[in-house]
Amino acid sequence: MEEKREEKVLYSAVQPSGNLTIGNYIGAIRNWVNMQHEFTCFYAIADMHAITVRQEPALLRRRTLELAALYIACGIDPEKCTLYVQSNVPAHAELAWVLNTVTYVGEMERMTQFKDKAARHAENVNMGLMDYPVLMAADILLYQAHLVPVGVDQRQHLEITRDIAIRFNNRYGETFRVPEAYIVKEGAKITSLQDPLRKMSKSDENPNASVYLADDKDTIMRKFKRAVTDSDNRIAVSEDKPGVTNLLNIYASFKGCTVAEAEKAFEGKGYGDFKLAVGETVADALAPVQAEQKRLLADKGYLADILRRGAESAAYTARKTLAKVFRKVGFYRGE
Ligand code: TRP
């Protein structure tokens, strides 16, 4: 392992559900890649969280592998961080059980995401859905993480993780590090190509709204051609030009230039040329990632090996915390 600038532990996880968009790439994946050089990172594919809503089993398994391949293709280096599948490390479920006993039903019922999901999946409000934040707390606390990079939608889950850690520590004595939110320097917000005031989402019903990391060049070009702009023909960042602003942000993010430089590059150009150029830039940037992901997926043995080693390394750290927890709560461990 390389020398990290800071010896802090950073924990993050992503669910293997839905197809990732270029918004996820800019907003999350690229940050994971950067953070692995700075911190001791544990990155999980949260398949146990994924099954709190209905999943097709074969698809879940395939997506888990595809996601691992994608992250590696994007620059996650299994030699520099611990990349693993959550369900491969039994300590997550074991710690979640213990944490359940210091978590109150009322506080879980009040969680915003639980209420949203319970409304959206009214036919399947299962215990796992309600317990989701406790499993997430177990993920984080097992690794004694200092930092958890969270977007707004996961803030409340990190807050409850802190509450659970503090409560456990108060009841049983110092056991867990209380993690902090790691606020990532905001990359540009990537919004929908069809409704640029809304976030680009992996679950948008409009197929032209989101560009997926798996899209081929033709698809990407077609989506950008259809992207909503506006009626004047000026290419500039402006609050009253959300569509054009979004395209400039996308261009700058993928080109690795500033938005001002992007504006300059398109001075005097029309929207037609502009959209083509943005599409080309995105397609060209994604092509090598897609090729590498495909290559990795063709070598299942190699991927399996990486994930097995990841799980072993994660389990080693996780077991130390779990042993401490079992001792503190009074579980009989022999002799
Ligand atoms: N719930 C997170 C999401 O959907 C994924 C996740 C699971 C996670 N466990 C985590 C994120 C622990 C951070 C830390 O985005």
Side-chain angles (χ1 to χ4, degrees):
M1 291 249 174
E2 66 178 347
E3 279 294 312
K4 313 277 174 168
R5 252 181 289 155
E6 271 191 84
E7 269 316 314
K8 287 195 170 164
V9 174
L10 181 141
Y11 191 92
S12 195
V14 61
Q15 293 189 61
S17 47
N19 293 316
L20 294 177
T21 71
I22 56 171
N24 300 124
Y25 180 69
I26 301 297
I29 305 181
R30 287 222 296 212
N31 292 327
W32 279 30
V33 174
N34 294 332
M35 293 178 310
Q36 69 183 340
H37 302 295
E38 207 165 331
F39 305 109
T40 300
C41 294
F42 289 89
Y43 294 140
I45 299 181
D47 54 349
M48 291 164 71
H49 278 102
I51 62 164
T52 58
V53 299
R54 265 310 238 288
Q55 302 288 339
E56 176 63 51
L59 194 58
L60 179 65
R61 191 163 13 248
R62 197 176 80 215
R63 283 198 166 136
T64 298
L65 212 55
E66 283 175 357
L67 201 56
L70 179 70
Y71 273 82
I72 297 167
C74 287
I76 293 293
D77 181 348
E79 302 296 323
K80 290 198 167 69
C81 63
T82 302
L83 177 69
Y84 72 102
V85 178
Q86 185 187 30
S87 66
N88 293 174
V89 179
H92 290 252
E94 294 173 276
L95 180 60
W97 180 258
V98 175
L99 297 182
N100 274 331
T101 64
V102 297
T103 307
Y104 297 104
V105 172
E107 56 190 352
M108 292 298 100
E109 281 172 336
R110 284 193 297 274
M111 299 299 285
T112 313
Q113 197 172 76
F114 170 69
K115 288 193 282 185
D116 287 352
K117 287 191 182 174
R120 268 191 287 135
H121 304 274
E123 75 305 333
N124 184 23
V125 185
N126 61 78
M127 289 299 293
L129 192 63
M130 194 162 158
D131 209 27
Y132 183 114
V134 179
L135 179 58
M136 200 165 143
D139 295 346
I140 297 165
L141 300 179
L142 272 177
Y143 300 92
Q144 305 286 355
H146 298 77
L147 300 171
V148 183
V150 278
V152 272
D153 61 327
Q154 298 296 323
R155 284 279 150 80
Q156 202 183 27
H157 288 157
L158 184 62
E159 265 320 301
I160 204 79
T161 298
R162 292 169 50 88
D163 292 347
I164 292 171
I166 292 168
R167 200 176 296 157
F168 189 98
N169 288 347
N170 284 338
R171 193 168 304 176
Y172 294 105
E174 209 52 33
T175 308
F176 297 120
R177 173 169 288 118
V178 181
E180 310 265 341
Y182 180 63
I183 309 298
V184 187
K185 235 193 307 101
E186 282 285 335
K189 274 259 171 316
I190 306 300
T191 61
S192 157
L193 296 190
Q194 292 299 313
D195 180 359
L197 292 174
R198 280 180 32 205
K199 189 175 156 199
M200 184 179 284
S201 156
K202 53 184 179 180
S203 49
D204 207 304
E205 319 85 55
N206 183 339
N208 289 318
S210 308
V211 177
Y212 296 105
L213 294 182
D215 282 346
D216 61 23
K217 183 159 187 176
D218 286 349
T219 309
I220 294 172
M221 295 307 289
R222 193 180 55 211
K223 288 179 177 177
F224 277 105
K225 264 187 229 163
R226 292 184 186 165
V228 169
T229 46
D230 51 46
S231 53
D232 82 37
N233 217 14
R234 213 160 42 85
I235 299 171
V237 170
S238 161
E239 216 167 293
D240 60 351
K241 300 170 78 61
V244 171
T245 301
N246 187 37
L247 293 178
L248 282 165
N249 280 333
I250 293 173
Y251 179 85
S253 301
F254 278 91
K255 255 298 193 265
C257 68
T258 66
V259 192
E261 285 164 344
E263 280 176 321
K264 195 144 195 106
F266 294 108
E267 234 167 37
K269 297 255 167 59
Y271 282 170
D273 288 344
F274 172 47
K275 290 192 210 176
L276 284 182
V278 180
E280 290 270 352
T281 302
V282 172
D284 289 351
L286 292 186
V289 172
Q290 293 171 341
E292 179 63 4
Q293 186 195 23
K294 199 166 157 210
R295 195 186 67 79
L296 289 163
L297 284 170
D299 193 349
K300 295 280 190 306
Y302 172 74
L303 271 180
D305 199 48
I306 285 178
L307 293 174
R308 185 185 45 75
R309 281 191 285 143
E312 273 168 13
S313 145
Y316 176 81
T317 304
R319 253 188 264 118
K320 283 200 276 194
T321 302
L322 193 67
K324 199 160 145 192
V325 168
F326 282 3
R327 200 167 54 240
K328 299 260 183 179
V329 300
F331 287 169
Y332 173 71
R333 311 307 286 161
E335 103 246 11

Short mmCIF file of all heavy atoms in Angstrom, two decimals, residues 11-15 17 32 44-46 49 86 92 113 117 132 135-137 139-140 148-150 153-154 157-158 161 202, ligand 1:
data_model
loop_
_atom_site.label_atom_id
_atom_site.label_comp_id
_atom_site.label_asym_id
_atom_site.label_seq_id
_atom_site.Cartn_x
_atom_site.Cartn_y
_atom_site.Cartn_z
N TYR A 11 -15.05 5.64 4.63
CA TYR A 11 -15.94 4.54 4.23
C TYR A 11 -17.01 5.04 3.28
O TYR A 11 -17.63 6.08 3.51
CB TYR A 11 -16.63 3.94 5.47
CG TYR A 11 -17.33 2.65 5.12
CD1 TYR A 11 -16.67 1.44 5.24
CD2 TYR A 11 -18.61 2.66 4.57
CE1 TYR A 11 -17.28 0.25 4.86
CE2 TYR A 11 -19.23 1.48 4.19
CZ TYR A 11 -18.56 0.29 4.33
OH TYR A 11 -19.16 -0.88 3.94
N SER A 12 -17.22 4.29 2.21
CA SER A 12 -18.34 4.61 1.33
C SER A 12 -18.88 3.33 0.70
O SER A 12 -18.20 2.31 0.64
CB SER A 12 -17.93 5.61 0.27
OG SER A 12 -19.08 6.15 -0.35
N ALA A 13 -20.11 3.39 0.25
CA ALA A 13 -20.72 2.23 -0.39
C ALA A 13 -21.72 2.70 -1.43
O ALA A 13 -22.21 3.83 -1.36
CB ALA A 13 -21.42 1.36 0.65
N VAL A 14 -21.98 1.84 -2.38
CA VAL A 14 -22.95 2.16 -3.42
C VAL A 14 -23.81 0.94 -3.67
O VAL A 14 -23.34 -0.20 -3.57
CB VAL A 14 -22.20 2.63 -4.70
CG1 VAL A 14 -21.29 1.56 -5.23
CG2 VAL A 14 -23.18 3.08 -5.78
N GLN A 15 -25.07 1.16 -3.94
CA GLN A 15 -25.96 0.02 -4.18
C GLN A 15 -25.89 -0.42 -5.63
O GLN A 15 -25.89 0.41 -6.52
CB GLN A 15 -27.40 0.41 -3.87
CG GLN A 15 -27.63 0.67 -2.41
CD GLN A 15 -29.11 0.82 -2.13
OE1 GLN A 15 -29.89 -0.10 -2.36
NE2 GLN A 15 -29.49 1.98 -1.66
N SER A 17 -27.90 -1.12 -7.81
CA SER A 17 -29.23 -1.09 -8.41
C SER A 17 -29.30 0.07 -9.40
O SER A 17 -28.74 1.12 -9.15
CB SER A 17 -30.29 -0.92 -7.32
OG SER A 17 -29.91 0.10 -6.44
N TRP A 32 -14.40 8.95 -5.47
CA TRP A 32 -13.84 7.72 -4.87
C TRP A 32 -12.41 7.53 -5.36
O TRP A 32 -11.52 7.16 -4.59
CB TRP A 32 -14.67 6.50 -5.29
CG TRP A 32 -15.92 6.27 -4.50
CD1 TRP A 32 -16.71 7.22 -3.91
CD2 TRP A 32 -16.54 5.01 -4.24
NE1 TRP A 32 -17.79 6.62 -3.31
CE2 TRP A 32 -17.72 5.28 -3.49
CE3 TRP A 32 -16.24 3.69 -4.57
CZ2 TRP A 32 -18.58 4.26 -3.06
CZ3 TRP A 32 -17.09 2.68 -4.14
CH2 TRP A 32 -18.24 2.97 -3.40
N ALA A 44 -17.60 -0.34 -0.52
CA ALA A 44 -18.42 -1.56 -0.59
C ALA A 44 -19.48 -1.45 -1.66
O ALA A 44 -19.96 -0.36 -1.97
CB ALA A 44 -19.08 -1.80 0.77
N ILE A 45 -19.84 -2.59 -2.18
CA ILE A 45 -21.02 -2.68 -3.04
C ILE A 45 -22.12 -3.22 -2.15
O ILE A 45 -22.05 -4.36 -1.66
CB ILE A 45 -20.73 -3.57 -4.26
CG1 ILE A 45 -19.58 -2.93 -5.04
CG2 ILE A 45 -21.99 -3.73 -5.11
CD1 ILE A 45 -19.16 -3.64 -6.28
N ALA A 46 -23.11 -2.37 -1.89
CA ALA A 46 -24.08 -2.64 -0.83
C ALA A 46 -25.25 -3.48 -1.35
O ALA A 46 -26.37 -2.99 -1.50
CB ALA A 46 -24.56 -1.33 -0.21
N HIS A 49 -28.16 -3.83 1.22
CA HIS A 49 -29.11 -2.71 1.19
C HIS A 49 -30.04 -2.82 -0.01
O HIS A 49 -31.22 -2.48 0.07
CB HIS A 49 -28.36 -1.38 1.15
CG HIS A 49 -27.89 -0.93 2.49
ND1 HIS A 49 -26.58 -1.06 2.90
CD2 HIS A 49 -28.55 -0.36 3.52
CE1 HIS A 49 -26.47 -0.59 4.13
NE2 HIS A 49 -27.65 -0.16 4.54
N GLN A 86 -20.53 -6.19 0.16
CA GLN A 86 -21.03 -6.16 1.54
C GLN A 86 -21.44 -7.54 2.07
O GLN A 86 -21.05 -7.94 3.17
CB GLN A 86 -22.23 -5.20 1.58
CG GLN A 86 -22.84 -4.92 2.93
CD GLN A 86 -24.11 -4.10 2.76
OE1 GLN A 86 -24.81 -4.21 1.74
NE2 GLN A 86 -24.39 -3.24 3.72
N HIS A 92 -21.16 -7.46 8.91
CA HIS A 92 -22.13 -6.37 8.72
C HIS A 92 -23.49 -6.74 9.32
O HIS A 92 -24.10 -5.96 10.04
CB HIS A 92 -22.29 -6.03 7.22
CG HIS A 92 -21.08 -5.38 6.65
ND1 HIS A 92 -21.04 -4.05 6.31
CD2 HIS A 92 -19.85 -5.87 6.37
CE1 HIS A 92 -19.84 -3.75 5.84
NE2 HIS A 92 -19.10 -4.84 5.87
N GLN A 113 -35.99 8.98 4.23
CA GLN A 113 -35.90 8.06 3.10
C GLN A 113 -36.83 6.85 3.33
O GLN A 113 -37.43 6.35 2.38
CB GLN A 113 -34.47 7.60 2.88
CG GLN A 113 -34.28 7.00 1.51
CD GLN A 113 -32.82 6.72 1.20
OE1 GLN A 113 -32.25 5.75 1.69
NE2 GLN A 113 -32.22 7.56 0.38
N LYS A 117 -39.63 5.78 0.69
CA LYS A 117 -39.63 4.45 0.08
C LYS A 117 -40.84 3.65 0.50
O LYS A 117 -41.38 2.88 -0.30
CB LYS A 117 -38.35 3.68 0.44
CG LYS A 117 -37.12 4.21 -0.28
CD LYS A 117 -35.94 3.27 -0.11
CE LYS A 117 -34.71 3.84 -0.80
NZ LYS A 117 -33.52 3.03 -0.54
N TYR A 132 -32.73 -0.37 7.31
CA TYR A 132 -31.69 0.09 6.38
C TYR A 132 -30.65 1.01 7.04
O TYR A 132 -29.44 0.79 6.90
CB TYR A 132 -32.43 0.78 5.23
CG TYR A 132 -31.64 1.29 4.07
CD1 TYR A 132 -31.79 0.73 2.81
CD2 TYR A 132 -30.79 2.40 4.19
CE1 TYR A 132 -31.11 1.23 1.71
CE2 TYR A 132 -30.11 2.89 3.11
CZ TYR A 132 -30.28 2.31 1.87
OH TYR A 132 -29.60 2.82 0.80
N LEU A 135 -28.21 -0.95 9.29
CA LEU A 135 -27.20 -1.69 8.53
C LEU A 135 -26.13 -0.73 8.02
O LEU A 135 -24.94 -1.04 8.03
CB LEU A 135 -27.87 -2.42 7.35
CG LEU A 135 -26.94 -3.22 6.44
CD1 LEU A 135 -26.16 -4.29 7.21
CD2 LEU A 135 -27.72 -3.87 5.29
N MET A 136 -26.55 0.44 7.64
CA MET A 136 -25.59 1.44 7.18
C MET A 136 -24.68 1.88 8.32
O MET A 136 -23.47 2.07 8.13
CB MET A 136 -26.37 2.63 6.60
CG MET A 136 -25.55 3.46 5.68
SD MET A 136 -26.59 4.56 4.69
CE MET A 136 -25.48 5.97 4.68
N ALA A 137 -25.25 2.02 9.52
CA ALA A 137 -24.44 2.36 10.69
C ALA A 137 -23.42 1.24 10.94
O ALA A 137 -22.24 1.51 11.21
CB ALA A 137 -25.34 2.55 11.91
N ASP A 139 -22.14 -0.80 8.73
CA ASP A 139 -21.10 -0.68 7.69
C ASP A 139 -19.99 0.26 8.15
O ASP A 139 -18.80 -0.07 8.14
CB ASP A 139 -21.67 -0.04 6.41
CG ASP A 139 -22.72 -0.89 5.71
OD1 ASP A 139 -22.84 -2.08 6.04
OD2 ASP A 139 -23.42 -0.34 4.82
N ILE A 140 -20.43 1.44 8.53
CA ILE A 140 -19.49 2.52 8.83
C ILE A 140 -18.71 2.24 10.12
O ILE A 140 -17.49 2.38 10.18
CB ILE A 140 -20.25 3.85 8.94
CG1 ILE A 140 -20.91 4.19 7.60
CG2 ILE A 140 -19.34 4.97 9.44
CD1 ILE A 140 -21.97 5.28 7.68
N VAL A 148 -17.09 9.88 6.19
CA VAL A 148 -18.04 9.27 5.26
C VAL A 148 -18.49 10.36 4.28
O VAL A 148 -19.11 11.34 4.71
CB VAL A 148 -19.28 8.70 5.99
CG1 VAL A 148 -20.21 8.01 5.00
CG2 VAL A 148 -18.86 7.73 7.08
N PRO A 149 -18.14 10.21 3.01
CA PRO A 149 -18.59 11.22 2.05
C PRO A 149 -20.07 11.02 1.77
O PRO A 149 -20.48 9.93 1.39
CB PRO A 149 -17.75 10.92 0.79
CG PRO A 149 -17.35 9.50 0.93
CD PRO A 149 -17.36 9.15 2.38
N VAL A 150 -20.86 12.02 2.04
CA VAL A 150 -22.31 11.85 1.84
C VAL A 150 -22.92 13.01 1.08
O VAL A 150 -22.60 14.17 1.32
CB VAL A 150 -23.08 11.71 3.18
CG1 VAL A 150 -23.00 10.30 3.71
CG2 VAL A 150 -22.59 12.71 4.20
N ASP A 153 -28.87 13.35 0.31
CA ASP A 153 -29.86 12.29 0.57
C ASP A 153 -29.41 11.30 1.63
O ASP A 153 -30.23 10.54 2.14
CB ASP A 153 -30.22 11.57 -0.74
CG ASP A 153 -29.01 10.89 -1.36
OD1 ASP A 153 -27.89 11.43 -1.23
OD2 ASP A 153 -29.17 9.82 -1.97
N GLN A 154 -28.13 11.30 1.97
CA GLN A 154 -27.64 10.35 2.98
C GLN A 154 -27.23 11.04 4.29
O GLN A 154 -26.77 10.38 5.23
CB GLN A 154 -26.47 9.54 2.43
CG GLN A 154 -26.81 8.68 1.22
CD GLN A 154 -27.84 7.60 1.54
OE1 GLN A 154 -27.83 7.02 2.63
NE2 GLN A 154 -28.75 7.35 0.62
N HIS A 157 -28.89 9.68 7.38
CA HIS A 157 -28.39 8.36 7.75
C HIS A 157 -27.06 8.46 8.51
O HIS A 157 -26.80 7.68 9.42
CB HIS A 157 -28.23 7.48 6.51
CG HIS A 157 -29.53 7.04 5.93
ND1 HIS A 157 -29.69 6.66 4.62
CD2 HIS A 157 -30.76 6.93 6.50
CE1 HIS A 157 -30.95 6.33 4.41
NE2 HIS A 157 -31.63 6.49 5.53
N LEU A 158 -26.25 9.41 8.13
CA LEU A 158 -24.99 9.57 8.86
C LEU A 158 -25.25 10.13 10.25
O LEU A 158 -24.61 9.71 11.23
CB LEU A 158 -24.02 10.48 8.08
CG LEU A 158 -22.66 10.58 8.76
CD1 LEU A 158 -21.98 9.22 8.84
CD2 LEU A 158 -21.76 11.57 8.04
N THR A 161 -26.27 7.35 12.38
CA THR A 161 -25.10 6.52 12.66
C THR A 161 -24.32 7.09 13.84
O THR A 161 -23.90 6.37 14.75
CB THR A 161 -24.17 6.47 11.42
OG1 THR A 161 -24.88 5.87 10.34
CG2 THR A 161 -22.91 5.67 11.70
N LYS A 202 -30.83 8.10 -12.16
CA LYS A 202 -30.72 6.80 -12.82
C LYS A 202 -32.08 6.15 -12.98
O LYS A 202 -32.22 5.15 -13.67
CB LYS A 202 -29.71 5.89 -12.11
CG LYS A 202 -29.88 5.68 -10.64
CD LYS A 202 -28.72 4.82 -10.09
CE LYS A 202 -28.83 4.61 -8.60
NZ LYS A 202 -27.76 3.80 -8.04
N1 TRP B 1 -27.30 3.98 1.38
C1 TRP B 1 -26.23 4.41 0.51
C2 TRP B 1 -26.82 4.92 -0.82
O1 TRP B 1 -27.83 4.42 -1.26
C3 TRP B 1 -25.27 3.31 0.23
C4 TRP B 1 -24.56 2.92 1.49
C5 TRP B 1 -24.71 1.74 2.17
C6 TRP B 1 -23.60 3.68 2.19
N2 TRP B 1 -23.89 1.73 3.26
C7 TRP B 1 -23.20 2.90 3.29
C8 TRP B 1 -23.05 4.96 1.96
C9 TRP B 1 -22.26 3.39 4.22
C10 TRP B 1 -22.11 5.43 2.89
C11 TRP B 1 -21.72 4.64 3.99
O2 TRP B 1 -26.22 5.78 -1.43
#
